[in-house]
Amino acid sequence: MKPALDLHNEPIKDLIIKMTVPVMLAGLVTTSYGFIDMIFASRLGSVEVASIAFVTPLFIMLQALASGVIRGGVSIIATLLGQQKPEEASAYATQLRLVVISLSLIFSIPGFILLPVLLELAGVTAELFVQSLIYSRILFLSLPIILIFQLYVTLFKSQGKMSVISNIAIGGVVCNTVLNALFIYVFNYEIDGLAYATLITNVIQMLIILFLYKRQKHEFQIGWRTAKQFSIIEIWKRLLKVGVPLSLSQASAHFGFLVLNIFIIQYSHQAVAAFAIGNRIHSLLFFPAKEMGNGLEPLLAQNWGRKSIDRVKETIKIGMLYTVLFGIFAAIVIQLIKYPIAHFLTKDDPVTYQLVIDYVGLVGWTAIPWAILHTLQGVFNSFQKTIFTLIINVVRLWGLRIPGILMFYYFMPSIAESGVWYTMFFSNVLTMIFAIVYFLVIVPPMLKKEDDLRESMARTEKEFA
């Protein structure tokens, strides 16, 4: 396996490529899971597509409540490594694993039990209720497995060990595809076969990454006991202080999709299916754009921990340049691939097909602001200022999307589901503008303060010398 990257000495341009390309590839492959499920579901019918679309935001919302703590915790660990405090990093890694296990059980067990109630409250049709319940109950069994896998992926990432991430992701998508085909075409399962394929794939991935992690040497240790000189209470407080805003922000984003589905189902199940298919097309390049920001976090966090401000500035500058270029590329590619993919997934349903084309044709261009937004989020997360991410997602959901949907739904009913499409477009653009302004107000003064402090200390040392 390739050695860890030297985040403190290698050229920034090279490091950004080495850090972001593997996680972008992993992001692309990860989104392929849902895309592959959507392909097989489309062979079964539009109700199955709508069922997956309806329950997926709920599942991911609960997953996000724990995965946010993982991201926040790994940012802390990366900073401690930059400060050359491996023992304290080990203490945080140990407690982070316990936090993740606890949260996965807290969210998965009640979620499994309450699924029928939640679906009834959403007001879905009887057929959609049955299919959604079958798929989601099997999927919920995999929640603890997915979170443990994510934890070890991010622990690899925090040390600059990137190759394992993309390799496991590629293997996972191949496994999921093969299992989907076996369950659907050989064993004659229906939507439950898609869920079983995902569950088995998640188990295999978790076992592989545990094996790979155990056989390698790391900059810190992860065990079941924390050294006595570190306070477990203080560690949990810091993990939750940094991680909870990320958890709430990620969960609110997916809660927003759940709310959107509740409104869209009022139009037709074709509209729900079109929204799901359109989001799958977007995710092929939106998600890798999002992962660019995630890939920068360990690089920024470790150099911030060492107070290498010049490297931090260079990382932000070059990272943002790459982000804009990739966002433009992604937006163009989305417009090129929307027709063949929509045709393939809608299975000769002209209504759903046209809805997909309208949705992707408008919202696909927001790959550019989406990439910029998530790179800025990555910058703030690396500084452990995760409240920024929470503010952004709260503003986007409660300040823009829900009011926009209500406005179109009640005051412009004639444009039907197109009101949702317009809301998605404007919310992405306006959120990016808000994020840029927030960044300019906070980050440059913060970096200047560190620069001034460093120069003051240098002058003091020179005077005493």
Side-chain angles (χ1 to χ4, degrees):
M1 191 171 292
K2 295 181 180 179
L5 302 175
D6 185 351
L7 304 186
H8 310 292
N9 298 302
E10 289 188 39
I12 294 296
K13 288 183 179 180
D14 295 340
L15 280 174
I16 289 178
I17 293 174
K18 292 175 182 177
M19 293 290 290
T20 59
V21 170
V23 293
M24 287 175 64
L25 178 60
L28 175 62
V29 174
T30 300
T31 57
S32 299
Y33 281 51
F35 191 75
I36 289 169
D37 279 356
M38 194 66 67
I39 291 175
F40 282 97
S42 68
R43 304 302 97 185
L44 299 173
S46 60
V47 173
E48 285 76 8
V49 173
S51 299
I52 293 176
F54 201 85
V55 302
T56 296
L58 174 62
F59 175 74
I60 297 178
M61 181 178 70
L62 293 177
Q63 179 183 328
L65 287 171
S67 62
V69 177
I70 295 174
R71 284 184 63 191
V74 170
S75 175
I76 295 172
I77 293 169
T79 302
L80 291 171
L81 292 176
Q83 294 171 344
Q84 299 180 314
K85 298 178 179 179
E87 291 185 0
E88 191 171 353
S90 298
Y92 272 88
T94 296
Q95 292 304 315
L96 179 59
R97 178 166 63 177
L98 295 175
V99 172
V100 169
I101 292 172
S102 301
L103 290 177
S104 66
L105 295 176
I106 290 171
F107 295 137
S108 61
I109 295 174
F112 183 88
I113 295 171
L114 295 174
L115 276 170
V117 177
L118 295 173
L119 291 173
E120 287 180 1
L121 289 174
V124 300
T125 63
E127 187 176 10
L128 194 60
F129 176 90
V130 172
Q131 296 297 321
S132 299
L133 188 61
I134 292 171
Y135 181 79
S136 57
R137 276 197 157 166
I138 298 170
L139 208 61
F140 261 71
L141 297 175
S142 67
L143 185 56
I145 298 164
I146 290 173
L147 292 173
I148 292 171
F149 172 74
Q150 287 183 353
L151 170 64
Y152 281 89
V153 165
T154 48
L155 290 177
F156 271 112
K157 190 190 302 182
S158 70
Q159 302 170 76
K161 299 178 179 180
M162 311 304 292
S163 60
V164 65
I165 299 172
S166 53
N167 291 339
I168 292 180
I170 293 171
V173 103
V174 172
C175 179
N176 191 43
T177 303
V178 171
L179 289 174
N180 273 331
L182 285 174
F183 277 111
I184 299 299
Y185 298 122
V186 177
F187 302 133
N188 295 320
Y189 281 73
E190 295 186 350
I191 196 169
D192 53 343
L194 303 180
Y196 284 127
T198 300
L199 174 61
I200 294 171
T201 300
N202 290 331
V203 171
I204 293 172
Q205 284 188 305
M206 182 194 70
L207 294 175
I208 290 174
I209 202 163
L210 288 174
F211 171 76
L212 292 176
Y213 195 89
K214 187 174 181 179
R215 68 191 290 252
Q216 281 199 26
K217 292 183 178 180
H218 302 280
E219 298 177 56
F220 57 88
Q221 302 299 318
I222 180 169
W224 297 104
R225 293 184 179 180
T226 300
K228 293 182 179 180
Q229 67 265 34
F230 302 109
S231 169
I232 294 177
I233 294 176
E234 292 302 317
I235 290 174
W236 275 61
K237 282 183 179 179
R238 189 177 177 188
L239 286 173
L240 295 176
K241 180 180 179 181
V242 175
V244 167
L246 283 175
S247 296
L248 294 177
S249 63
Q250 293 180 23
S252 68
H254 294 291
F255 175 75
F257 279 104
L258 188 62
V259 173
L260 290 174
N261 280 331
I262 292 173
F263 277 97
I264 297 171
I265 195 64
Q266 307 304 317
Y267 299 115
S268 66
H269 74 267
Q270 288 101 330
V272 175
F275 187 58
I277 293 170
N279 287 332
R280 294 303 182 193
I281 295 174
H282 290 152
S283 68
L284 290 173
L285 289 160
F286 273 52
F287 201 86
K290 176 182 177 181
E291 289 299 317
M292 284 192 73
N294 294 344
L296 293 175
E297 288 180 22
L299 177 59
L300 285 166
Q302 286 213 25
N303 283 289
W304 176 250
R306 286 202 177 187
K307 301 305 177 186
S308 302
I309 305 303
D310 291 338
R311 289 178 66 82
V312 170
K313 290 179 180 178
E314 188 178 359
T315 301
I316 295 173
K317 181 180 178 180
I318 298 175
M320 188 57 67
L321 174 62
Y322 288 168
T323 291
V324 172
L325 293 176
F326 181 81
I328 295 171
F329 167 79
I332 294 172
V333 172
I334 286 172
Q335 299 305 321
L336 295 176
I337 65 175
K338 65 182 179 183
Y339 295 103
I341 294 179
H343 179 74
F344 178 72
L345 291 180
T346 52
K347 197 180 179 180
D348 301 323
D349 181 345
V351 174
T352 305
Y353 172 82
Q354 190 57 52
L355 290 173
V356 171
I357 296 303
D358 292 342
Y359 176 47
V360 177
L362 179 64
V363 180
W365 290 109
T366 64
I368 302 169
W370 182 265
I372 294 171
L373 169 63
H374 282 280
T375 296
L376 294 176
Q377 286 187 1
V379 172
F380 274 92
N381 293 343
S382 65
F383 298 145
Q384 297 167 39
K385 296 186 179 294
T386 51
I387 194 68
F388 166 81
T389 304
L390 176 59
I391 291 172
I392 285 293
N393 282 284
V394 168
V395 169
R396 181 170 56 194
L397 176 60
W398 298 103
L400 297 173
R401 286 186 176 174
I402 291 181
I405 290 168
L406 291 174
M407 181 187 71
F408 284 112
Y409 186 79
Y410 287 109
F411 298 106
M412 302 180 194
S414 60
I415 65 174
E417 57 278 315
S418 294
V420 179
W421 307 168
Y422 292 136
T423 299
M424 294 292 289
F425 176 85
F426 287 114
S427 67
N428 285 350
V429 174
L430 293 174
T431 306
M432 177 202 66
I433 295 172
F434 176 82
I436 291 173
V437 173
Y438 194 103
F439 171 85
L440 293 175
V441 170
I442 301 296
V443 173
M446 183 177 69
L447 296 178
K448 186 178 185 304
K449 181 180 178 181
E450 288 295 331
D451 263 338
D452 292 343
L453 180 61
R454 182 180 58 179
E455 291 176 3
S456 176
M457 291 176 64
R459 284 196 301 268
T460 302
E461 290 176 1
K462 187 176 180 180
E463 289 173 1
F464 276 105

